[in-house]
Amino acid sequence: MAEVKQRGQGGPREIVTSTLARMILSGEIAPGERLPTEDALRQKMDVSRTALRESVRMLAGKGLIESRPRIGTVVLPATRWNHLDGDILAWRETLPPDLVFIRSLTEARQVIEPAAAEMAAQRADGSDLGRMQEAYQRMSAARDDDIDAIVAADEAFHFAILLASKNEIFANFGTVIGAALRMSFRMTTQASENFADSLHTHGDVLEAIRMRESETARRLMAGLIGVAARDLGRAASQRGQDTAGAL
């Protein structure tokens, strides 16, 4: 177990929370297993009882753990986790790529984003089109080797389309888009190549939305996400891993 000695990355509660969360998400403490006792955690992490208890409450609220009488605090099955919680997504990004989880994110994108693009073609206003255009220009200007700039611009483009759908649920999916892009790019290690290949299609999506061609926008967006899914499958095969399992 990693000791919590570092400071400057948030207060004691934040540090303890992120440390415990990563241990759970990485499988170091597997579902069904108990967390170490409170006294053991306090000694190992050098934190107060208050900070530790606040961290446990926070993780319980995210569905990762549950306190059970006479048993202790137990890690819950992954089916109980709040996978789309912003903190959980951020913690996952600091861990080695989880192929099954990235596959699940990509599958969610395959369902939601084509529909969002179709709705955007029907509902986008001038401000929406301006956001898409600005993001696309940033994508076009990004250097091939500047992965951070590529991901930021790509994320902004897709998020602008979600907003333009005028569907509040789709708009809340924006956090997932960024996490999916970053994790997928880390997984495939071909971000710049894939980005260059798909840049033209991003422009076609923008034009279809601008011209109110809803079916074309849906088809083109489905193709974009399909490329990401194929890249992920290829990367998984190269690593000898299988993404067919379920959460």
Side-chain angles (χ1 to χ4, degrees):
M1 183 190 303
E3 294 190 32
V4 179
K5 298 293 186 182
Q6 71 271 32
R7 295 292 182 257
Q9 298 180 6
R13 188 195 68 180
E14 290 76 15
I15 295 172
V16 173
T17 302
S18 62
T19 300
L20 290 174
R22 292 185 184 102
M23 291 167 63
I24 294 168
L25 294 170
S26 68
E28 182 178 342
I29 305 177
E33 293 184 357
R34 289 181 296 178
L35 293 186
T37 66
E38 186 176 272
D39 287 342
L41 286 173
R42 287 186 59 216
Q43 181 177 5
K44 190 74 174 179
M45 296 184 169
D46 188 25
V47 292
S48 69
R49 191 181 305 274
T50 298
L52 181 57
R53 289 182 176 178
E54 288 176 349
S55 296
V56 168
R57 281 196 294 270
M58 179 177 288
L59 295 178
K62 297 177 185 298
L64 295 179
I65 58 178
E66 180 179 77
S67 295
R68 297 175 179 173
R70 298 186 298 276
I71 294 176
T73 303
V74 179
V75 176
L76 293 173
T79 52
R80 300 276 300 276
W81 301 352
N82 184 1
H83 291 282
L84 302 187
D85 177 88
D87 288 330
I88 290 181
L89 288 170
W91 292 326
R92 280 190 180 277
E93 288 189 56
T94 67
L95 298 170
D98 181 332
L99 294 175
V100 172
F101 182 69
I102 298 173
R103 175 193 58 80
S104 295
L105 288 182
T106 303
E107 287 179 345
R109 294 184 67 198
Q110 287 178 302
V111 173
I112 291 175
E113 291 197 66
E118 181 179 19
M119 292 178 187
Q122 299 165 353
R123 303 171 179 174
D125 57 29
S127 296
D128 295 317
L129 292 171
R131 280 190 290 268
M132 291 179 223
Q133 182 67 46
E134 191 273 338
Y136 181 68
Q137 290 173 343
R138 286 168 51 198
M139 294 168 68
S140 301
R143 298 195 320 269
D144 290 347
D145 61 348
D146 191 345
I147 303 303
D148 289 340
I150 288 173
V151 172
D154 203 0
E155 178 181 355
F157 180 84
H158 288 270
F159 184 51
I161 292 175
L162 292 172
L163 290 175
S165 74
K166 308 304 182 185
N167 181 296
E168 294 178 354
I169 304 302
F170 284 4
N172 285 340
F173 192 67
T175 302
V176 177
I177 297 299
L181 287 170
R182 289 185 291 271
M183 292 182 194
S184 295
F185 280 179
R186 286 174 56 207
M187 181 67 230
T188 63
T189 66
Q190 298 177 31
S192 60
E193 178 182 340
N194 295 343
F195 177 78
D197 290 344
S198 67
L199 181 59
H200 181 72
T201 306
H202 281 80
D204 290 341
V205 171
L206 171 58
E207 190 61 21
I209 293 174
R210 194 196 315 274
M211 298 303 295
R212 306 296 183 188
E213 298 173 353
S214 57
E215 291 188 9
T216 300
R218 171 186 276 274
R219 175 177 54 80
L220 290 170
M221 182 60 77
L224 273 178
I225 311 303
V227 170
R230 289 192 295 274
D231 287 344
L232 176 61
R234 184 162 47 250
S237 297
Q238 292 172 350
R239 297 185 179 204
Q241 296 173 316
D242 181 14
T243 62
L247 287 171

